[in-house]
Amino acid sequence: MDNYGYGGGANGGGGGGGGFMPGETTSPSGGRQEGNNTTLRPVTIKQILDATQPYTEANYTIDGQDVSSIVFIGQVRNISTQATNVTYKLDDGTGEVEAKMWITPTEEMDTTDDLGKEGKDKNGVEVNGYAKVFGKLKSLLGGKKVINTHSVRPLTDINELHFHFLEATAVHLFHTRGPPVTGGAKDAGDSAMGGVVGAAAGGVYGGGNLPNVSPAARRVYNLLKTEPQSNEGLHAQLIAAKLGLPPSDVARAGEELINAGVIFSTVDDQTWVILDL
């Protein structure tokens, strides 16, 4: 899995790593890049759609930070092959966006008919499969956002999807709440990214020390923390059945916990897991 320069090991654990360095990153090709103008930021599609532009021709910003280059993961809903480009429509559960890869005259392309039959491009990216996209956020006429991409590759391990959401959340928390509060030898020994995630889930909110949330939200959180589950987490309907709560109460509790930064949704808006590594 890719390490975007925000610390943590190659597998996203809270162990080794060089620490959270917002000004440096590892490019998709593996080369080290320096400076804010080349920072590669992991994001969700909702963050892409909500990004703002200070003025025309300026880089977009997320959480007040420049996002010259971004990376995100989504499910491929459509692949459209044109004479000059391939357009991918992707959805990650938070929104939908198009990524456009421009084709040079020397490159060989699959024809539209071949793509339609196989449902995939020459790199193995297929419709309904998951893909990781590297690129830059741009605007079309009318303000529609699109990603100019130089790399779209298929996902080979679904855990990479979960790791990406964790890292995007950790970076968001860093920029909106600041560095994690350290409180002991364990915190001091954590990598910076691991510390951010630990602060959000186990360090600040763990051990029954949740932020000021409703009793229903606390019950939902405790169930998510203790109930055996897959990597996808638990669906709100199952949570309602196990806790004997009305589905509407569980939905409100889930929204509270998401806003508090202690859980996040996975395969859909109603399936949640604890923000923990």
Side-chain angles (χ1 to χ4, degrees):
M1 296 184 186
D2 298 275
N3 175 6
Y4 306 119
Y6 296 100
N11 293 323
F20 192 106
M21 298 295 291
E24 64 179 27
T25 181
T26 301
S27 71
S29 61
R32 202 67 168 175
Q33 302 175 18
E34 303 292 337
N36 287 333
N37 288 336
T38 56
T39 298
L40 178 65
R41 171 149 179 185
V43 295
T44 65
I45 291 178
K46 183 178 189 303
Q47 287 179 304
I48 293 172
L49 299 178
D50 291 344
T52 58
Q53 192 175 29
Y55 55 89
T56 304
E57 302 302 325
N59 287 330
Y60 277 89
T61 62
I62 296 174
D63 301 328
Q65 302 297 316
D66 181 279
V67 285
S68 171
S69 298
I70 59 174
V71 56
F72 68 96
I73 293 177
Q75 188 171 22
V76 181
R77 298 303 187 186
N78 185 60
I79 304 175
S80 175
T81 304
Q82 307 291 328
T84 58
N85 65 78
V86 179
T87 300
Y88 303 83
K89 182 177 289 185
L90 300 108
D91 182 347
D92 70 351
T94 71
E96 190 174 85
V97 74
E98 289 184 350
K100 194 176 294 290
M101 179 179 288
W102 296 95
I103 305 299
T104 62
T106 58
E107 288 184 286
E108 294 182 0
M109 295 177 55
D110 294 327
T111 64
T112 303
D113 290 340
D114 289 340
L115 185 63
K117 291 176 182 177
E118 298 180 5
K120 64 175 65 176
D121 70 1
K122 63 182 181 181
N123 295 319
V125 177
E126 58 185 333
V127 175
N128 295 324
Y130 285 88
K132 173 172 278 190
V133 180
F134 298 86
K136 293 182 180 294
L137 177 56
K138 301 293 182 182
S139 283
L140 301 177
L141 291 177
K144 178 182 177 181
K145 294 186 177 75
V146 66
I147 308 303
N148 280 352
T149 179
H150 56 275
S151 175
V152 180
R153 68 168 181 80
L155 233 59
T156 57
D157 183 351
I158 195 63
N159 288 320
E160 194 171 357
L161 171 66
H162 306 314
F163 171 77
H164 175 81
F165 273 109
L166 285 171
E167 184 142 34
T169 303
V171 176
H172 166 70
L173 290 173
F174 180 90
H175 288 305
T176 56
R177 300 188 182 185
V181 177
T182 58
K186 180 181 183 302
D187 287 331
D190 282 342
S191 70
M193 191 209 75
V196 171
V197 177
V204 175
Y205 303 139
N209 188 27
L210 278 170
N212 186 21
V213 296
S214 66
R218 188 174 296 275
R219 291 182 64 190
V220 169
Y221 176 85
N222 288 335
L223 180 69
L224 286 168
K225 196 170 184 67
T226 59
E227 185 73 12
Q229 58 198 265
S230 69
N231 288 335
E232 294 179 353
L234 299 178
H235 193 274
Q237 290 182 347
L238 178 60
I239 295 172
K242 286 185 174 292
L243 295 179
L245 291 173
S248 58
D249 287 357
V250 172
R252 283 193 293 270
E255 185 175 356
E256 271 189 79
L257 295 170
I258 289 173
N259 290 337
V262 295
I263 69 171
F264 71 98
S265 57
T266 58
V267 294
D268 57 47
D269 290 340
Q270 296 294 305
T271 304
W272 309 315
V273 297
I274 294 288
L275 181 57
D276 204 350
L277 288 177

